[in-house]
Amino acid sequence: MTDLEIARKAKMLPISEIAKKAGLLSEEVEFYGHYKAKINDQAFKRTAKNKDGKLILVTAITPTKAGEGKSTTTIGLGCALQLLKKNAFIVIREPSLGPVMGIKGGANGGGHAQVVPSEEINLHFTGDIHAVTTANNLISNIIDNSLHQGNPLNIDSKNITWKRCLDSNDRSLRDIIVGLGKGNGVVREDHFIITVASEIMAVLCLAKDFKDLRVRLGRIIVAYSSAKKAITVNDLKITGALLLLLKDAFKPNLVQTLENTPVLIHGGPFANIAHGCNSVIATKLALKLSDYTITEAGFAADLGAEKFLDIKCRLNNLKPACVVLVATIRALKMHGGAEYDKLNEAGIEHLKSGMENLEHHLETIEKFGLPKVVCLNRFYSDTEAEIQFVTAWAKEKNVSLSLSEVFAKGGKGGIDLAEKVLKAIETEKNDFKLIYEDSMLIKEKFKRIAKNVYGADDVVFSLEATREINRLQKSEFKEFPLCMAKTPLSISDNPKLLNRPKGFKITINSVRVSAGAGFIIGFAGDIMTMPGLPKEPQAEKIDIDDDFLVTGLM
């Protein structure tokens, strides 16, 4: 059966029952049909004094075409903990509609470890991403109107940093000219990014409450004046309007797994240009309502986990109880040099070589001082010899390893993983520490990440990056954490270097402050913030029958 066929056979409970199961009161839940709901501010106020549960982070090895199954593992682990009679809550990001219609397809787990209602979650859901799009583009509208109406803020039209956005993969909009035609405003170069790359999305996900959301939105830098003075959203006088547009989007969304485990899906910042985690408020609410909160971070441990720990945990006093590192034999063989089309033919030698990528990410987690479990996500093509090899490797390295079959068996296929995670939490030392301190020089922060997380020999800064770092070092942003923007396809900044590259340097081409989000972005390489469509987009494979059932979405 396809993922969609499996999802349609699910026996979903009314969302009111899921809310009750999660410990929410009826007046704290706002219904969006039978199977979706938003959680309002009353829930946060009532649970504020509750003791936090344990936070479990799911991350992965460096992604490949072969797939790793991080979201599937996150969902399956939550279901397994529920089967073990543990009070568990799953908290993940919202899918972006652009990739769903592009190359990725559905983005809410797979097989028997899915979040439902899958079609609605993958499409317009509760409108959060649309709200972010509208808020983002209101800023652009106001900037252009200010230029048209005499430019009272003295905005330098060649130094507008804010970009329009759209939740669609449209490469033709990456670089555009606006204001063409008589009476249509000031002609200038502009750009589109995908909505999840908007700073509005990062702000939404890092704000601690509505008051903090107001502060963060107001301090977003959108342009610079002719005198090089930063111009913010507060200067545009539209902070209140943005809050109004985002007031419902700021409420977390409640759904369920195929096994009726409660799930909060909220926010979806790009895992490259931003921090790639679900919202702070959803994570904190789940911690107040459950004994175990399972969440994930985008891409591999070098990007997603590092940002989750060095940004999200740093800014919100969060301390993970355990990290699950997901790997697959297929992906490890690709890192070991096997070709994608010949993975089933690749032997133990490719697998043995590719283990270096797994080892590197394990060492990264160890540097953060956290308990860890390796999850070997089983594929049908895995041979017993390959599984035995990885099992023997784990035993030799004294690494806790679990063979997960949540894709095929749901929660039952993750019982061993759940038991090993619980054991790690109970028995392993948790000496959580960050990679760098707030007070360190910005350049030293870059070097600390590059050397300790990527294994680089050193960091090279362009002249442009150096100038901006020197400016920021004298500003109120100097103690902001770093958000590294580099390829997810390699531990290095070169996407062609698979496995565990050595003897390389990281080059920081440019640096930008996201004042609203509260971090400094370092660009290592060209980062695509508006994806394009592949030769055969996923949208061409989708159809809808006379009974209004979507086919081909997942």
Side-chain angles (χ1 to χ4, degrees):
M1 286 192 294
T2 65
D3 288 352
L4 199 55
E5 288 170 335
I6 292 171
R8 285 190 179 136
K9 288 181 178 292
K11 294 181 180 179
M12 288 189 287
L13 296 177
I15 200 63
S16 57
E17 292 187 34
I18 298 297
K20 184 177 180 181
K21 183 178 182 178
L24 292 160
L25 305 179
S26 58
E27 60 268 26
E28 298 167 346
V29 183
E30 300 173 4
F31 299 106
Y32 279 61
H34 297 295
Y35 304 111
K36 299 176 293 182
K38 278 190 169 288
I39 313 302
N40 63 39
D41 192 48
Q42 295 182 60
F44 297 93
K45 292 177 180 177
R46 178 178 63 84
T47 61
K49 294 184 179 180
N50 288 5
K51 183 180 177 182
D52 284 351
K54 303 292 186 181
L55 180 60
I56 301 166
L57 172 65
V58 179
T59 187
I61 63 171
T62 303
T64 67
K65 282 178 64 177
E68 289 70 52
K70 189 172 56 202
S71 296
T72 302
T73 299
T74 301
I75 296 162
L77 175 57
C79 294
L81 286 167
Q82 179 180 251
L83 290 176
L84 292 175
K85 308 300 181 184
K86 302 298 182 182
N87 180 13
F89 220 135
I90 300 165
V91 190
I92 55 179
R93 292 182 294 167
E94 296 182 45
S96 172
L97 189 54
V100 166
M101 292 293 174
I103 196 170
K104 189 174 182 181
N108 47 328
H112 293 271
Q114 292 186 54
V115 177
V116 287
S118 57
E119 292 165 52
E120 295 177 36
I121 293 168
N122 277 311
L123 297 176
H124 304 287
F125 202 19
T126 56
D128 294 352
I129 294 183
H130 297 292
V132 171
T133 302
T134 304
N136 181 100
N137 291 341
L138 176 62
I139 294 175
S140 291
N141 304 157
I142 296 296
I143 290 171
D144 283 318
N145 186 57
S146 184
L147 291 172
H148 179 69
Q149 302 292 350
N151 197 9
L153 295 174
N154 195 25
I155 297 171
D156 181 355
S157 63
K158 294 182 180 180
N159 202 1
I160 295 172
T161 56
W162 194 254
K163 300 175 181 178
R164 287 171 159 84
C165 75
L166 188 69
D167 192 25
S168 180
N169 292 8
D170 194 343
R171 62 171 59 85
S172 63
L173 293 177
R174 289 172 183 163
D175 301 296
I176 62 172
I177 302 295
V178 299
L180 293 173
K182 185 177 180 180
N184 293 337
V186 175
V187 177
R188 68 177 182 90
E189 182 181 0
D190 202 356
H191 313 269
F192 267 86
I193 58 176
I194 196 165
T195 298
V196 290
S198 169
E199 189 176 350
I200 296 281
M201 181 63 84
V203 165
L204 185 83
C205 289
L206 284 171
K208 299 173 184 177
D209 50 37
F210 206 67
K211 182 179 179 180
D212 188 35
L213 180 63
R214 178 189 294 274
V215 172
R216 289 175 179 273
L217 287 171
R219 74 187 188 201
I220 291 174
I221 296 172
V222 300
Y224 290 87
S225 71
S226 298
K228 301 191 184 308
K229 175 184 177 295
I231 295 169
T232 66
V233 165
N234 278 340
D235 294 325
L236 298 179
K237 300 179 181 178
I238 57 169
T239 306
L242 296 182
L243 284 167
L244 181 63
L245 290 171
L246 296 170
K247 69 179 183 66
D248 290 323
F250 194 56
K251 301 170 184 175
N253 306 293
L254 178 68
V255 286
Q256 61 189 294
T257 69
L258 295 176
E259 299 177 28
N260 312 122
T261 311
V263 183
L264 287 178
I265 299 185
H266 194 218
F270 226 38
N272 207 329
I273 197 76
H275 59 297
C277 316
N278 67 279
S279 74
V280 166
I281 60 170
T283 301
K284 286 196 167 185
L285 180 61
L287 286 169
K288 296 296 183 184
L289 289 169
S290 67
D291 295 326
Y292 297 94
T293 293
I294 308 96
T295 191
E296 65 177 351
F299 296 133
D302 60 318
L303 275 177
E306 187 274 320
K307 293 178 184 180
F308 181 93
L309 299 168
D310 271 330
I311 298 177
K312 184 171 180 176
C313 290
R314 177 193 304 268
L315 298 177
N316 296 280
N317 197 29
L318 297 173
K319 181 180 180 181
C322 182
V323 176
V324 176
L325 181 61
V326 181
T328 64
I329 285 172
R330 288 165 56 82
L332 290 169
K333 287 196 289 187
M334 279 201 72
H335 280 295
E339 296 179 20
Y340 176 74
D341 295 334
K342 298 180 180 179
L343 280 175
N344 292 347
E345 303 170 20
I348 296 294
E349 286 305 310
H350 287 107
L351 177 58
K352 181 178 179 180
S353 176
M355 295 299 292
E356 291 188 20
N357 187 268
L358 175 58
E359 289 178 358
H360 177 92
H361 290 301
L362 272 173
E363 290 170 13
T364 296
I365 295 167
E366 288 172 357
K367 288 173 182 174
F368 283 100
L370 292 167
K372 60 196 178 299
V373 175
V374 172
C375 169
L376 187 63
N377 192 19
R378 186 170 192 171
F379 273 65
Y380 70 91
S381 59
D382 298 344
T383 67
E384 286 303 318
E386 290 168 342
I387 293 171
Q388 289 175 13
F389 174 83
V390 179
T391 302
W393 169 88
K395 186 175 181 180
E396 179 186 346
K397 301 288 185 180
N398 196 28
V399 171
S400 178
L401 174 89
S402 177
L403 182 64
S404 171
E405 297 183 89
V406 296
F407 182 91
K409 301 177 181 179
K412 290 181 180 178
I415 293 293
D416 180 70
L417 173 62
E419 290 176 340
K420 283 186 167 67
V421 167
L422 292 173
K423 182 179 179 181
I425 291 173
E426 294 166 3
T427 63
E428 288 190 30
K429 184 180 180 181
N430 191 326
D431 187 25
F432 179 47
K433 53 185 176 293
L434 301 170
I435 291 295
Y436 56 86
E437 296 87 42
D438 293 339
S439 59
M440 290 179 65
L441 294 174
I442 295 172
K443 276 194 173 183
E444 290 305 312
K445 293 177 185 178
F446 278 114
K447 291 181 179 180
R448 188 68 68 90
I449 292 175
K451 293 181 179 181
N452 287 272
V453 179
Y454 307 153
D457 290 343
D458 203 354
V459 181
V460 177
F461 298 93
S462 71
L463 187 60
E464 176 189 344
T466 297
R467 280 198 296 258
E468 183 62 9
I469 288 172
N470 291 340
R471 188 186 72 81
L472 291 172
Q473 194 64 60
K474 300 174 184 177
S475 73
E476 67 269 35
F477 310 123
K478 64 182 179 182
E479 294 195 351
F480 274 8
L482 299 185
C483 183
M484 296 291 285
K486 75 169 185 69
T487 177
L489 303 178
S490 172
I491 297 169
S492 73
D493 55 2
N494 182 349
K496 296 180 180 180
L497 298 180
L498 300 184
N499 209 358
R500 185 174 190 168
K502 295 179 181 177
F504 66 93
K505 296 179 181 180
I506 293 289
T507 300
I508 303 299
N509 298 313
S510 61
V511 173
R512 177 168 65 83
V513 63
S514 286
F519 49 65
I520 293 170
I521 304 175
F523 292 85
D526 295 326
I527 306 303
M528 187 59 64
T529 54
M530 171 54 86
L533 291 171
K535 187 174 183 179
E536 297 181 1
Q538 185 69 22
E540 295 179 1
K541 305 171 187 177
I542 296 172
D543 199 2
I544 186 164
D545 65 22
D546 293 338
D547 294 322
F548 300 104
L549 291 177
V550 178
T551 59
L553 183 62
M554 301 176 66

